[in-house]
């Protein structure tokens, strides 16, 4: 994929999420059961980054914890919703949101204890942008800090049924996937890259991360490649 197309896809993703922000956020007003397991990684005193935070729903993961949460996203419309939803937490000083629509947010080296990338990494359209991001995360994580990534598993039976129905394949492992409003009308076609376990693990290792686990999950259950909608990697600096 050429650089100009890479930039176009990144911009398209931003505008797609701005357009569907209201509907997208409505489907994510609470912490899904399948994300509850992430709580075991949260400890008091941590600095936590939520990269691609959307409407900030992971803040619910941190209730009753003494942590500092930093959410970044390139959708200004989703961030507006996040800031409205968590006014109390922002005022208390432990929740902060940052827009990356015009430029990436820089954090100090060795700053974060924990980084979440929940269903966001698969929107990056080329190998270099993925490696650049992982390099930034590696630098900003403290020694022994953890990076947890979830991406859609487009080799699952669930995805294959969707691909055959209305998903558009635009490359060997690249897709445009429709988002429909409550009336069933397609509002946008979001870009997704399908990561095999081997590709995702290879990128993480190249960036310097130690892979603690890379498994397929379906809701709150660990399963195989056919059954799991998500590929989940837990890594450590």
């Amino acid at each position: 994929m050429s650089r100009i197309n890479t930039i176009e896809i990144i911009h398209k993703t931003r505008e797609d999420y701005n357009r569907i922000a209201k509907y997208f956020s409505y489907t994510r007003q609470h912490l899904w059961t399948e994300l509850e397991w992430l709580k075991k990684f949260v400890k008091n005193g941590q600095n936590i980054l939520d990269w691609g935070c959307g409407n900030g729903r992971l803040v619910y993961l941190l209730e009753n914890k003494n942590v500092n949460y930093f959410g970044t996203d390139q959708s200004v419309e989703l961030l507006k919703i996040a800031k409205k939803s968590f006014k109390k937490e922002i005022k208390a000083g432990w929740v902060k949101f940052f827009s990356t629509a015009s430029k990436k947010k820089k954090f100090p080296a060795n700053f974060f204890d924990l980084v979440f990338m929940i269903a966001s990494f698969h929107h990056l359209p080329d190998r270099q942008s993925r490696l650049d991001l992982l390099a930034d995360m590696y630098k900003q994580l403290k020694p022994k800090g953890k990076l947890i990534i979830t991406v859609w598993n487009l080799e699952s039976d669930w995805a294959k049924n969707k691909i055959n129905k209305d998903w558009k394949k635009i490359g060997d492992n690249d897709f445009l996937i429709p988002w429909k409003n409550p009336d069933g009308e397609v509002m946008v076609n979001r870009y997704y890259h399908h990561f095999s376990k081997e590709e995702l693990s290879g990128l993480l290792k190249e960036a310097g991360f130690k892979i603690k686990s890379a498994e397929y999950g379906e809701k709150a259950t660990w399963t195989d490649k056919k059954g799991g909608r998500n590929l989940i990697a837990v890594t450590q600096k």
Side-chain angles (χ1 to χ4, degrees), residues 183-213:
D183 294 325
E185 299 169 344
V186 175
M187 296 184 67
V188 298
N189 286 284
R190 295 178 294 169
Y191 168 85
Y192 283 79
H193 178 75
H194 164 66
F195 288 98
S196 66
K197 187 183 293 189
E198 293 73 22
E199 182 184 10
L200 183 60
S201 298
L203 286 169
L204 289 163
K205 289 177 182 177
E206 188 170 344
F209 288 97
K210 297 176 183 176
I211 298 175
K212 309 298 286 184
S213 65

Side-chain angles (χ1 to χ4, degrees), residues 81-103:
I81 295 170
K83 290 175 181 178
K84 184 176 181 181
S85 299
F86 298 103
K87 283 183 179 178
K88 182 177 70 173
E89 292 81 359
I90 292 171
K91 187 175 182 180
W94 67 274
V95 168
K96 297 179 175 68
F97 293 105
F98 301 93
S99 171
T100 55
S102 56
K103 61 180 180 180

Side-chain angles (χ1 to χ4, degrees), residues 19 46 54 58 83-84 99 112-113 141 150 177-178 211 214 235:
R19 186 174 180 190
Q46 288 179 328
L58 285 194
K83 290 175 181 178
K84 184 176 181 181
S99 171
F112 291 110
D113 300 277
L141 271 169
T150 75
I177 298 179
I211 298 175
T235 75

Side-chain angles (χ1 to χ4, degrees), residues 5-165:
N5 286 336
T6 294
I7 294 171
E8 287 176 355
I9 288 291
I10 290 172
H11 288 179
K12 171 179 163 51
T13 299
R14 179 180 68 211
E15 295 310 313
D16 285 349
Y17 276 100
N18 281 337
R19 186 174 180 190
I20 67 172
K22 178 177 69 174
Y23 303 102
F24 182 82
S25 180
Y26 183 77
T27 65
R28 289 156 174 80
Q29 292 189 62
H30 306 287
L31 190 70
W32 291 348
T33 303
E34 65 195 77
L35 298 175
E36 292 282 346
W37 70 280
L38 297 173
K39 287 182 178 179
K40 68 181 181 181
F41 297 101
V42 178
K43 311 295 181 186
N44 286 328
Q46 288 179 328
N47 289 333
I48 298 173
L49 175 64
D50 183 6
W51 189 89
C53 65
N55 67 352
R57 63 175 171 157
L58 285 194
V59 173
Y60 294 121
L61 191 74
L62 312 176
E63 292 175 338
N64 302 317
K65 291 289 185 179
N66 180 22
V67 299
N68 293 305
Y69 167 95
F70 302 82
T72 63
D73 203 284
Q74 66 164 342
S75 170
V76 295
E77 295 302 322
L78 280 171
L79 288 176
K80 286 178 185 177
I81 295 170
K83 290 175 181 178
K84 184 176 181 181
S85 299
F86 298 103
K87 283 183 179 178
K88 182 177 70 173
E89 292 81 359
I90 292 171
K91 187 175 182 180
W94 67 274
V95 168
K96 297 179 175 68
F97 293 105
F98 301 93
S99 171
T100 55
S102 56
K103 61 180 180 180
K104 66 183 180 182
K105 172 65 179 173
K106 294 183 179 180
F107 293 98
N110 304 315
F111 183 72
F112 291 110
D113 300 277
L114 184 60
V115 174
F116 292 119
M117 292 184 191
I118 306 301
S120 53
F121 190 67
H122 50 211
H123 290 309
L124 292 177
D126 71 338
R127 189 173 187 275
Q128 193 58 53
S129 64
R130 297 163 196 150
L131 282 173
D132 287 347
L133 174 62
L134 292 177
D136 285 343
M137 295 302 99
Y138 189 88
K139 181 179 180 181
Q140 293 166 15
L141 271 169
K142 296 177 183 178
K144 306 296 183 182
K146 288 185 171 62
L147 165 66
I148 299 173
I149 293 182
T150 75
V151 293
W152 282 14
N153 169 30
L154 301 188
E155 288 186 285
S156 64
D157 289 340
W158 167 79
K160 287 179 178 178
N161 288 334
K162 296 284 189 178
I163 291 168
N164 292 333
K165 185 178 179 183

